[in-house]
Amino acid sequence: MLAKVCSAALNGIEAYPVEVEVNAGWGDTVIIVVGLPDAAVKESRDRVFTALSNSGYKFPMGRTTINLAPADVRKEGPSFDLPIALGILAASEQLETDQLDNFVAVGELALTGAVRAVKGVLSIALRARAEGRTGLLVPVENAREAAVVEGLQVIPVPNLRAAAQFLEGALKIPALKIDLAALFDAPLEEDVDLADVKGQENVKRALEIAASGSHCALLIGPPGTGKSMLAKRLASILPPLTLEEALETTKVHSIVGLLAPGQALVTRRPFRAPHHTASDAGLLGGNVNPTPGEISLAHNGVLFLDELPEFKRSVLETLRQPLEDGRVTISRAAGSMTFPSQFMLVAAMNPTPDGKMPQESHSSPRDIQNYLGRISGPLLDRIDLHIEVPAVPFREIAGDRAGEASAQVRERVVAARRRQQARFAGRPKITCNARMGPRELKQFCQLDDATRQLLQFAMSDFKLSARAYDRILKVSRTIADLAASERILPDHVSEAVQYRSMDRQLWG
């Protein structure tokens, strides 16, 4: 007898439907799995056989053929265990139901018959809804993740027998419901706060600008001035994720397996800080079967690169295209995958090889130039804010005066982002000033004569590039938004120009 069970598999961060066909026939007892299965899928034969026996079912005698369609796409992972087992039960007439076409099933089977968690359930749930399925049978640990998709019955199944009895109508399992508003309304537990940082008010101001427009930033200063401490607190002033951003971010984290058991959504912006020994595959993503790297895990959040010149130059150069396009495409023998990568790049570095300011350094001018030369000009052009982080005076370190809390700064950042969202309404690909293209710059960054002359003087005197000109305009627009100004004024441009210190080679 032939049975069909609906399932799904992952291609990048998106899912595609897979039809599990099981045919129980005559002949010698043998199990054949076709449809380009990988090793994990082939091993499902033994897991399913044992799980069926331990769940009180009989494995069919004779030739059992299992086909995973479409047959020209490679199938990976153990998520097909549950649909294969259900298909075998239906093909051997141990499961009588008319619900197999209405539900998508995914899950790994333990030898006891228990259903274990799998990766990428959110993407699979979105695909199941798009295919018009009634519901989704998922492991209990993945149920909250899938339940954020509205209009789909998410049935948490603890084991194989419960799944079969539910499909037969012998067992009632209520569909799981999630209150999305409650997920986003939950109070933020701040692990770090800007108020922890003594002094550095100018740097805090620059980070507020960066957060308001999602601008990339480079912190330059000697060791011990608080560069890493400040960068880690940037995440505490970023605006909250929207539902669409949370879904995109959760999909990336889900397929890598970074969601905690029972976690429904990633509701806080990611902060990723890879070590400077990271390879280009670790940063961009890769492996034999392309998987997301650090820049995709930082999607809609922050990618922090400490000790920037210590990264391999070839690794840093790979960041240039993702910074411009907001996505990264990885090509391997197994295929080509595109992952989202709209992140804020925040980097920190010392001004010289020995960590001291240039006028105090014992390094030769050639050594300093070689040290700075590890970061290419095109990459520096793509960093909007070059922020000098000076040493903190003793009176500020020892003082009792507390700075602004992250919550206060975040209120101003959120207000500035709302102005940008209203400005870019109808342009879904542009969510903040840093994402503006040439058309938006021309439309929303118009300058009066006095402001244009000031910018012209800065471009000529400091020999700035055309890309630096665009960056200055974007940062000026963000500064104007923080000041609730519709026009970009000379003060806004002059403040933006001062954040191009690496272009001017005047820092220190």
Side-chain angles (χ1 to χ4, degrees), residues 472-492:
I472 290 171
L473 283 181
K474 292 177 182 180
V475 173
S476 301
R477 179 66 268 171
T478 300
I479 296 171
D481 289 337
L482 281 168
S485 173
E486 291 297 326
R487 297 171 52 217
I488 297 177
L489 304 177
D491 288 348
H492 305 149

Side-chain angles (χ1 to χ4, degrees), residues 329-412:
T329 300
I330 303 167
S331 297
R332 295 290 186 271
S336 180
M337 302 287 182
T338 298
F339 301 111
S341 60
Q342 288 194 356
F343 59 93
M344 282 181 63
L345 173 62
V346 179
M349 61 176 287
N350 297 328
T352 60
D354 58 9
K356 298 180 180 179
M357 298 304 288
Q359 64 271 23
E360 303 170 351
S361 175
H362 298 296
S363 302
S364 67
R366 176 181 287 274
D367 289 340
I368 295 176
Q369 192 61 39
N370 289 339
Y371 177 75
L372 298 177
R374 297 179 188 177
I375 309 169
S376 68
L379 179 60
L380 280 175
D381 270 352
R382 288 168 169 82
I383 299 178
D384 301 346
L385 303 172
H386 307 158
I387 308 166
E388 300 174 34
V389 187
V392 183
F394 174 79
R395 65 178 181 276
E396 293 186 5
I397 297 176
D400 295 330
R401 182 171 175 266
E404 271 191 305
S406 293
Q408 296 174 275
V409 180
R410 187 167 56 239
E411 288 180 3
R412 296 196 294 270

Side-chain angles (χ1 to χ4, degrees), residues 163 301 313 439 457:
R313 180 159 180 162
R439 293 181 180 178
F457 171 79

Side-chain angles (χ1 to χ4, degrees), residues 403-459:
E404 271 191 305
S406 293
Q408 296 174 275
V409 180
R410 187 167 56 239
E411 288 180 3
R412 296 196 294 270
V413 170
V414 170
R417 284 287 184 102
R418 285 174 179 164
R419 294 186 184 95
Q420 294 166 45
Q421 291 169 0
R423 179 183 304 125
F424 303 132
R427 295 176 170 86
K429 294 184 179 181
I430 302 176
T431 57
C432 56
N433 289 334
R435 303 293 173 197
M436 284 193 292
R439 293 181 180 178
E440 289 75 27
L441 284 174
K442 184 177 181 180
Q443 181 177 355
F444 301 118
C445 297
Q446 297 180 2
L447 308 177
D448 57 27
D449 291 339
T451 308
R452 186 177 295 106
Q453 289 178 2
L454 173 64
L455 184 53
Q456 182 180 358
F457 171 79
M459 293 288 297

